[in-house]
Amino acid sequence: MANCFPSSCSLVKIMLISIVAFVSVLIPTSEAAVKKYQFDVVVKNVSRLCHAKTNCDGERMYPGPTVYAREGDRVIITVTNHAQYNMSIHWHGLKQVRNGWADGPAYITQCPIQSGNSYTYDFNITGQRGTLWWHAHILWLRATVHGAIVIMPQVGVSYPFPQPHSEAELMLGEWWNADVETIENQGNILGLPPNMSDAHTINGKPGPLFPCSDKHTYALEVEWGKTYLLRIINAALNDELFFAIAGHSMTVVEIDAVYCKPFTTEALLIAPGQTTNVLVQANQSPGRYFMATRPFMDAPVPVDNKTATAILQYKGVPTTVLPLLPKLPAPNDTTFADSYLDKIRSLNTAQFPANVPLTVDRHLFYTIGLGANPCATCLNGTRLTASLNNITFMMPKIGLLQAHYFNTKGVFRLDFPDKPVTPFNYTGAPLTANLGTSMGTRLSKVAFNSTVELVLQDTNLLTVESHPFHLHGYNFFVVGTGIGNFDPVKDPAKYNLIDPPERNTVGVPTGGWTAIRFRADNPGVWFFHCHLELHTTWGLKMAFVVENGNGPEQSVLPPPKDLPLC
């Protein structure tokens, strides 16, 4: 079984992955199986938008291969790095219980895989089923190194919604004509944002609205009267995205590999890192219908506002028939975005309960800010930064989990503040003075099995903006959200503690706040960061050190023998 992935488009390199081998071995003592994959990261030429460029890949397939497994399976994936870049792979949304060594973010849970070397990610899928994804977690390489993860329910367990006739994965992404790492480096040298992408993509293809792209259009063939499950993933680096299908409504049934109460919508909103499963009925007049995606941005921040398209193709309809375009929400349609997000609720049944922490042991309040620090070599004498509680995270030189496990001194400090040192009017008039941030590798220590509430507050430092935040190693419940400054007296009274959305990535609204809760029952070092790659690069990140509990069953597993060295 040979597959490959990522790409960029112009005469520049793109990194992709290929599955060289796949083996499924049934474990005799249980229903579970061992799924084995070999991922080869290579560099290949790929063309888009009238450009040919070199990307990281394996078998000229972009996006990368889908990892298929069942709940309860053990998955073993050996990644061999044939590219010139250091590499690590993150299995986004998998909890990696006690096994941060398989989580993947470079310099957080492992040193990267150096060119010519291999590392085996060995993990169990425990208590999860649905759509997740994997991607490179170093530099900006996830632009081309990414793919889907499909976790089927255990044998004999059905979906809590009508069984679809067929399924398909739709990966929404971004494309740069130039080499992504070159663009990132240029921005870092100047101290400014790098160039925005040249196109959006659906399954690696921009669609016929772009030049030289008629053949670079994904098409999904459907039969009239049948129902299809679409597994939608936002793999874009920097854009929240709307998605719609001309003439067809969608029924949302799952978010971030968690079933939700079904609801019907004409369009959906999905932030970088998030996944959404929808049911689509092929019940319209047989024809050809565009599936389309473009950004949502309700702040004065420039984005790549181009629309990518794919085609929903009814069987038997000639490809000469012109597709119909859907009506997407306006790029700044905050009303639609808020209304859509308000409809998402956990399924909360006996089989799939929403175990929301009702009491809180630890209250955290983190402000999200943009800033600027002095930089003698940068264009304006300053470098743009980002921070949590005014702390810009400095990446260490070795993996934080390794430093924690072996008690290596001098790598990080455990003094990340629970709240801002200096409160202010977070969403008042734009603040353009005193934009300097504190730099450091500062982590927050959390007691095992304690319950945590974290309020994320956007600020108007330079500008307000929406931020999708991802917590590694955990799902969490989104118990509240609002616009303006969080009120610790009034706002908690409006929390949803019955059926809030359960996710691994959540958007903090522009000029607003989001409150999440989780139980810290997974020991290790777990990354927490904005999933806009630009802001992560600028330092909008930190990590939690969750302590061991009692005994080996509540403690971090020993590291594997092939853990990469720095």
Side-chain angles (χ1 to χ4, degrees):
M1 176 178 182
N3 281 353
C4 132
F5 79 53
S7 126
S8 209
C9 273
S10 82
L11 271 173
V12 192
K13 296 179 181 172
I14 183 169
M15 300 181 75
L16 304 181
I17 282 182
S18 65
I19 294 185
V20 174
F22 165 74
V23 181
S24 177
V25 182
L26 188 65
I27 299 174
T29 57
S30 72
E31 294 286 343
V34 177
K35 302 291 175 63
K36 294 185 177 180
Y37 290 83
Q38 170 69 43
F39 276 16
D40 283 344
V41 181
V42 298
V43 175
K44 294 287 185 181
N45 287 330
V46 179
S47 66
R48 298 284 189 276
L49 310 186
C50 313
H51 293 273
K53 105 178 181 186
T54 315
N55 279 359
C56 246
D57 82 340
E59 304 299 322
R60 299 181 182 276
M61 177 180 169
Y62 161 58
T66 298
V67 173
Y68 294 98
R70 285 193 181 274
E71 179 182 352
D73 283 353
R74 178 184 177 188
V75 179
I76 302 173
I77 304 176
T78 299
V79 177
T80 301
N81 184 13
H82 301 282
Q84 70 269 39
Y85 303 105
N86 287 342
M87 177 58 59
S88 73
I89 302 294
H90 171 49
W91 316 96
H92 186 113
L94 284 170
K95 295 178 182 178
Q96 307 291 8
V97 179
R98 302 171 46 227
N99 187 25
W101 312 109
D103 190 41
Y107 301 106
I108 306 298
T109 59
Q110 68 169 92
C111 296
I113 307 166
Q114 297 180 23
S115 182
N117 292 347
S118 300
Y119 178 50
T120 297
Y121 295 91
D122 187 344
F123 52 87
N124 296 317
I125 298 176
T126 305
Q128 292 183 271
R129 83 294 304 165
T131 304
L132 295 171
W133 65 303
W134 58 266
H135 59 83
H137 210 301
I138 185 169
L139 307 172
W140 280 31
L141 296 179
R142 76 175 169 93
T144 61
V145 180
H146 59 249
I149 301 174
V150 173
I151 307 170
M152 301 300 294
Q154 292 177 325
V155 175
V157 178
S158 61
Y159 295 136
F161 47 80
Q163 179 73 26
H165 168 73
S166 186
E167 304 181 6
E169 298 97 48
L170 298 179
M171 297 208 70
L172 314 181
E174 288 180 274
W175 172 266
W176 279 261
N177 284 334
D179 177 66
V180 175
E181 286 310 301
T182 300
I183 291 172
E184 180 195 4
N185 290 335
Q186 288 172 345
N188 289 337
I189 291 170
L190 295 174
L192 298 172
N195 293 341
M196 68 182 67
S197 55
D198 296 290
H200 290 98
T201 58
I202 299 177
N203 284 348
K205 300 176 179 180
L209 303 186
F210 289 87
C212 304
S213 296
D214 284 345
K215 68 176 182 178
H216 296 305
T217 302
Y218 172 76
L220 174 64
E221 185 178 80
V222 298
E223 294 185 48
W224 192 91
K226 294 185 176 179
T227 300
Y228 295 82
L229 179 67
L230 303 185
R231 301 175 180 269
I232 304 168
I233 300 164
N234 186 348
L237 263 64
N238 294 311
D239 289 340
E240 293 185 83
L241 295 168
F242 291 123
F243 176 84
I245 306 174
H248 295 72
S249 60
M250 299 172 286
T251 301
V252 178
V253 294
E254 178 196 301
I255 54 166
D256 290 6
V258 179
Y259 298 132
C260 63
K261 289 182 171 66
F263 67 93
T264 300
T265 183
E266 300 303 312
L268 59 84
L269 174 64
I270 184 167
Q274 292 182 337
T275 68
T276 303
N277 283 9
V278 300
L279 293 175
V280 176
Q281 291 183 310
N283 57 6
Q284 298 302 300
S285 175
R288 304 175 78 226
Y289 298 84
F290 271 131
M291 301 182 281
T293 185
R294 75 176 176 204
F296 164 62
M297 174 53 72
D298 59 351
V301 177
V303 295
D304 171 10
N305 198 28
K306 304 180 185 74
T307 300
T309 54
I311 296 174
L312 189 76
Q313 167 86 40
Y314 277 73
K315 187 175 181 178
V317 174
T319 57
T320 53
V321 174
L322 293 177
L324 300 173
L325 270 170
K327 183 179 180 181
L328 286 163
N332 62 348
D333 194 341
T334 304
T335 300
F336 173 87
D338 292 344
S339 173
Y340 172 81
L341 295 172
D342 285 344
K343 296 174 184 175
I344 301 177
R345 296 284 185 270
S346 288
L347 192 58
N348 195 18
T349 62
Q351 187 177 9
F352 303 106
N355 296 315
V356 187
L358 300 180
T359 59
V360 176
D361 300 318
R362 182 88 171 272
H363 288 271
L364 305 175
F365 184 85
Y366 292 174
T367 57
I368 304 164
L370 302 179
N373 286 336
C375 173
T377 61
C378 295
L379 185 64
N380 299 318
T382 59
R383 180 187 304 280
L384 291 174
T385 62
S387 65
L388 287 167
N389 283 352
N390 204 46
I391 298 169
T392 296
F393 189 84
M394 299 289 291
M395 293 296 283
K397 302 298 183 183
I398 68 169
L400 293 175
L401 178 59
Q402 186 176 358
H404 167 64
Y405 187 87
F406 292 107
N407 197 27
T408 305
K409 304 299 183 184
V411 178
F412 61 84
R413 292 158 48 185
L414 287 171
D415 62 350
F416 193 91
D418 286 2
K419 59 184 179 181
V421 175
T422 306
F424 59 96
N425 182 6
Y426 306 115
T427 57
L431 301 172
T432 56
N434 301 320
L435 293 176
T437 65
S438 172
M439 314 287 286
T441 309
R442 301 170 65 180
L443 280 57
S444 179
K445 185 168 69 172
V446 180
F448 179 81
N449 210 38
S450 61
T451 54
V452 179
E453 178 178 304
L454 168 57
V455 176
L456 291 162
Q457 173 71 64
D458 188 31
T459 68
N460 207 357
L461 289 162
L462 286 182
T463 182
V464 291
E465 187 175 351
S466 176
H467 300 270
F469 268 84
H470 173 48
L471 176 60
H472 291 228
Y474 289 91
N475 282 355
F476 49 74
F477 292 95
V478 186
V479 296
T481 189
I483 301 301
N485 295 341
F486 175 75
D487 187 323
V489 175
K490 296 180 181 179
D491 287 327
K494 297 178 284 187
Y495 282 175
N496 176 6
L497 301 179
I498 298 172
D499 60 353
E502 182 181 347
R503 320 203 64 134
N504 62 61
T505 305
V506 66
V508 179
T510 299
W513 58 270
T514 292
I516 65 174
R517 287 187 181 183
F518 63 96
R519 181 175 295 277
D521 55 2
N522 190 10
V525 178
W526 302 109
F527 206 21
F528 181 65
H529 62 98
C530 180
H531 223 271
L532 301 178
E533 203 62 38
L534 176 61
H535 292 169
T536 298
T537 302
W538 286 353
L540 194 52
K541 50 196 173 186
M542 56 84 67
F544 293 103
V545 176
V546 179
E547 297 179 296
N548 287 337
N550 297 319
E553 295 304 311
Q554 295 181 352
S555 301
V556 177
L557 293 169
K561 290 184 174 59
D562 66 338
L563 187 69
L565 300 176
C566 286

